[in-house]
Amino acid sequence: MKKNNSVLLSTPYILWMIVFTLIPLGVVGYYALTDPATGEFTWGNLMNLKMYLPVLWQSILYSLVSACICLLLGYPVAYYIAHTGPVAQKLLYMLVMLPMCMSFLLRTLAWVGLLQDTGIINNLLSALGLPRLQMIRTPGAVILGMVYNYLPYMILPLYSTIVKIDGRLIEAAEDLGCNSVQVFSKVILPLSVPGILSGMTMVFVPAVSTFYISQKLGGTDTVLIGDVIERQFKQGNNPNLGAALSLVLMLLVFVCTGIMNRFGGDEEVIV
């Protein structure tokens, strides 16, 4: 009876996964492995990906840099939140999540208004008698946009991990003569590794596939793999090549997710 109830309750989820996950993946795989003219099976689309390898490596580099910056910024924030009182934790947790309630597009456009040549920051510099800076249409602006948009994805799993660390382990390390640096390096940091891996993955995966941030904050030489995929479907009129690029990107995402599940899957992120 219980088994029948479990199957019945899981049916909507199974149908959802089939319709909105497996079937779309199958469509992407079909277009990636078929000739656009004849519809026959071919490896040609995947072979053509070598011309986009520099773009792929640039996307991976930007995403890794963004993830590392998010880690450097997010770890102290998560550590501070985890060691405040219950009321303060809830308030700070809400403040971290608050930007995620705003549209992703609006958050990115806000940085356009701040960084553009006639934007708020440059107007302020000009009013102070300082020279204007070229901030937008640069790789730094793209990385800044990624860090701003995806920083909460780093803080939340780190907080979830750090708050679960048993305080008795820290007390034991201090009783054994460890100073604050040794307590952090030998107790807190090793126990935070699952949260670090989860946070790195949760930042890297959306960053490596993004395209709107690079279009609004980057220049003509700042092209990411997400931009190429969008152009193949919208402008290049070559959905087969776009599907092949998407397939490679999905494999990269699956690898990152597998790493997170292998080493950080025990940690829950409360949203």
Side-chain angles (χ1 to χ4, degrees):
M1 186 67 180
K2 291 183 178 180
K3 184 177 181 180
N4 292 335
N5 290 336
S6 300
V7 173
L8 183 63
L9 291 174
S10 62
T11 299
Y13 172 75
I14 295 173
L15 292 175
W16 177 276
M17 290 295 296
I18 292 174
V19 174
F20 295 102
T21 302
L22 297 181
I23 292 179
L25 288 178
V27 172
V28 171
Y30 170 78
Y31 277 100
L33 300 175
T34 55
D35 186 88
T38 63
E40 298 179 353
F41 175 82
T42 180
W43 295 104
N45 297 318
L46 294 176
M47 297 299 294
N48 290 332
L49 298 182
K50 58 185 178 182
M51 69 180 68
Y52 296 106
L53 284 180
V55 178
L56 178 61
W57 289 123
Q58 180 171 261
S59 303
I60 293 175
L61 176 62
Y62 282 23
S63 302
L64 286 176
V65 171
S66 301
C68 291
I69 295 176
C70 285
L71 176 61
L72 293 176
L73 296 176
Y75 197 100
V77 175
Y79 185 87
Y80 177 79
I81 295 175
H83 289 83
T84 57
V87 177
Q89 282 188 24
K90 294 179 180 179
L91 176 61
L92 295 173
Y93 193 92
M94 181 192 68
L95 292 177
V96 170
M97 293 183 60
L98 193 59
M100 300 171 63
C101 300
M102 186 186 299
S103 170
F104 176 85
L105 305 182
L106 292 178
R107 297 201 305 267
T108 305
L109 287 175
W111 277 107
V112 174
L114 288 170
L115 301 178
Q116 62 184 353
D117 298 334
T118 57
I120 297 175
I121 296 178
N122 272 321
N123 287 339
L124 180 60
L125 292 176
S126 180
L128 296 175
L130 299 175
R132 293 176 177 267
L133 301 176
Q134 175 63 43
M135 294 177 288
I136 203 169
R137 298 184 298 277
T138 62
V142 176
I143 293 175
L144 175 62
M146 290 182 178
V147 171
Y148 173 76
N149 281 290
Y150 303 127
L151 182 59
Y153 297 131
M154 177 65 72
I155 296 176
L156 298 183
L158 282 173
Y159 163 77
S160 179
T161 303
I162 296 173
V163 78
K164 296 177 182 177
I165 296 177
D166 194 339
R168 292 174 295 181
L169 297 175
I170 299 176
E171 294 176 359
E174 292 173 344
D175 291 341
L176 293 173
C178 292
N179 56 36
S180 57
V181 176
Q182 291 173 325
V183 169
F184 177 78
S185 62
K186 296 180 181 298
V187 179
I188 299 176
L189 186 60
L191 293 176
S192 304
V193 169
I196 293 174
L197 290 175
S198 297
M200 292 287 289
T201 304
M202 292 177 67
V203 172
F204 176 82
V205 168
V208 76
S209 59
T210 189
F211 59 91
Y212 189 78
I213 295 176
S214 56
Q215 291 177 3
K216 294 301 180 182
L217 299 178
T220 55
D221 58 338
T222 309
V223 179
L224 303 183
I225 194 66
D227 300 312
V228 177
I229 294 174
E230 185 198 27
R231 291 173 185 175
Q232 294 302 321
F233 281 99
K234 287 188 175 182
Q235 303 173 9
N237 197 26
N238 191 352
N240 297 74
L241 180 57
L245 290 167
S246 301
L247 186 62
V248 172
L249 198 59
M250 281 193 297
L251 293 176
L252 180 62
V253 170
F254 287 154
V255 170
C256 295
T257 305
I259 294 174
M260 182 185 70
N261 292 335
R262 173 63 178 84
F263 297 100
D266 294 337
E267 301 302 326
E268 298 179 356
V269 179
I270 305 173
V271 179

